[in-house]
DNA sequence: TCGCGTTATATCTGCTTGAATACAACCAGG
DNA sequence: CCTGGTTGTATTCAAGCAGATATAACGCGA
C-alpha cells in the first residue's frame, strides 16, 4: 500500500572476483530468450550491443557449457538463443532469488526500517 | 574431495540500488569494533584509510542513525567505535547472511556444479 | 607548550569501465 | 550475385573509481 518502496532483495553469485550470475545478467538472458537476438535484447534493455555481448561472453566462459548459442548470417542476419543448459541455469537462479526473497522477507522489512528514506538527499 | 576448489562461490544480497550493507562493509564494521579505529581497521584489512573512511561515511549516510562514531584528538589521537545502532545493524545483517546461507545451501551446491572450475584461465 | 596518532578533507594520477563508432565475417533469401 | 541484419572484433574517447599523497583540525599526555 501507499508508497512502500518494496524492492525485493536480489542475489548475486560471485565466482572469484567475477560475477558469474546476477540480476542484470539474468534479465539479459530473459531478453535474449524473448527476442532471439543479442542486439535486440540490448536495445530493449537500453544497453550497448558491445556491453551485452561482453556479458554473454563472460557468462559462457564462467560456466561449464555456454548459456547462449549464437549464429551469424542466414535468415534475419543471424540470432542467439538460450541453450538448454542456459535455460536451466537461469531457472535455477530465479528459483534461488525467489527462495531468498521468501526466507528473508521479514528480516528485510525490519532491516529496511533502519535505512534512511533514500530520497531527499542533501546534495550528493 | 581431494583438491576441493579453493574459494567457494559467494552470495551477495542486494538491498536497494546502492549497497547499504554488504560483506565488505560488514567486515569493516567488525574490524572497527575490534580495533577501535578506522585507520587500524583499514590497515588490518589491507585497504587505504581513504577507502575505509568513505565506506564508513556512506554507511552513516545510508542509515537513519550513524553506525560508527568517531572522535579526533585525545588519548591515542582519537578513535572510532560502533554505535549501539551500528551494532544492531551489523547483527541483523549477519543473521540475514546466515539464514540466506542455510536456505540456499542445497540450491547453491547444485548451481555451483554448473560453474567452471575458475582456475586454469587461459589469459584473461 | 609541544608532540603524537587519528580523523577528516583536498588534490592529483593511473586504471578501469563504458559508450560510440567502424568494420569484417557470415549466410539465407530474393 | 547481392542485400540485409546480426555476430564478433578493434579502436578511440570520456567519465568514474581507487590509490597515493599531503595537510589541517583535534585533544590528551608528557
Amino acid at each position: 500500500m501507499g508508497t512502500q518502496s518494496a524492492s525485493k532483495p536480489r542475489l548475486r553469485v560471485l565466482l572469484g572476483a567475477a560475477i558469474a550470475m546476477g540480476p542484470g545478467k539474468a534479465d539479459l538472458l530473459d531478453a535474449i530468450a524473448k527476442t532471439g537476438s543479442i542486439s535486440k535484447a540490448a536495445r530493449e534493455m537500453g544497453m550497448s550491443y558491445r556491453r551485452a555481448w561482453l556479458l554473454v561472453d563472460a557468462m559462457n566462459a564462467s560456466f561449464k557449457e555456454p548459456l547462449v548459442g549464437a549464429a551469424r548470417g542466414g535468415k534475419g542476419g543471424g540470432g542467439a538463443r538460450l541453450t538448454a543448459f542456459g535455460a536451466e541455469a537461469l531457472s535455477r537462479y530465479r528459483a534461488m532469488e525467489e527462495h531468498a526473497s521468501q526466507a528473508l522477507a521479514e528480516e528485510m522489512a525490519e532491516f529496511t526500517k533502519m535505512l534512511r528514506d533514500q530520497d531527499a538527499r542533501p546534495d550528493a
Side-chain angles (χ1 to χ4, degrees), chain A:
Chain A
M1 332 214 183
T3 52
Q4 181 162 8
S5 65
S7 65
K8 296 181 180 177
R10 313 195 72 173
L11 290 184
R12 187 166 284 177
V13 180
L14 305 172
L15 187 44
I19 301 173
M21 180 63 75
K25 284 176 176 172
D27 289 348
L28 178 60
L29 291 182
D30 270 330
I32 289 174
K34 173 186 167 189
T35 63
S37 147
I38 295 177
S39 63
K40 284 200 186 78
R43 284 197 291 272
E44 186 169 277
M45 294 184 65
M47 71 172 67
S48 66
Y49 170 79
R50 171 188 150 85
R51 173 157 173 73
W53 185 86
L54 286 175
L55 291 173
V56 168
D57 192 54
M59 281 188 278
N60 282 348
S62 298
F63 286 81
K64 284 183 176 171
E65 299 179 27
L67 307 191
V68 174
R72 0 182 218 195
K75 178 183 174 183
R81 58 191 185 76
L82 293 197
T83 62
F85 189 82
E88 183 185 346
L90 178 58
S91 172
R92 286 185 185 276
Y93 172 77
R94 292 299 190 197
M96 289 172 67
E97 261 193 336
E98 179 63 23
H99 293 159
S101 178
Q102 291 173 5
L104 299 181
E106 294 176 28
E107 286 169 294
M108 266 293 290
E110 287 302 311
F111 194 87
T112 300
K113 289 179 185 171
M114 301 181 78
L115 294 174
R116 197 180 291 274
D117 285 340
Q118 100 183 356
D119 43 357
R121 289 277 194 81
D123 46 276

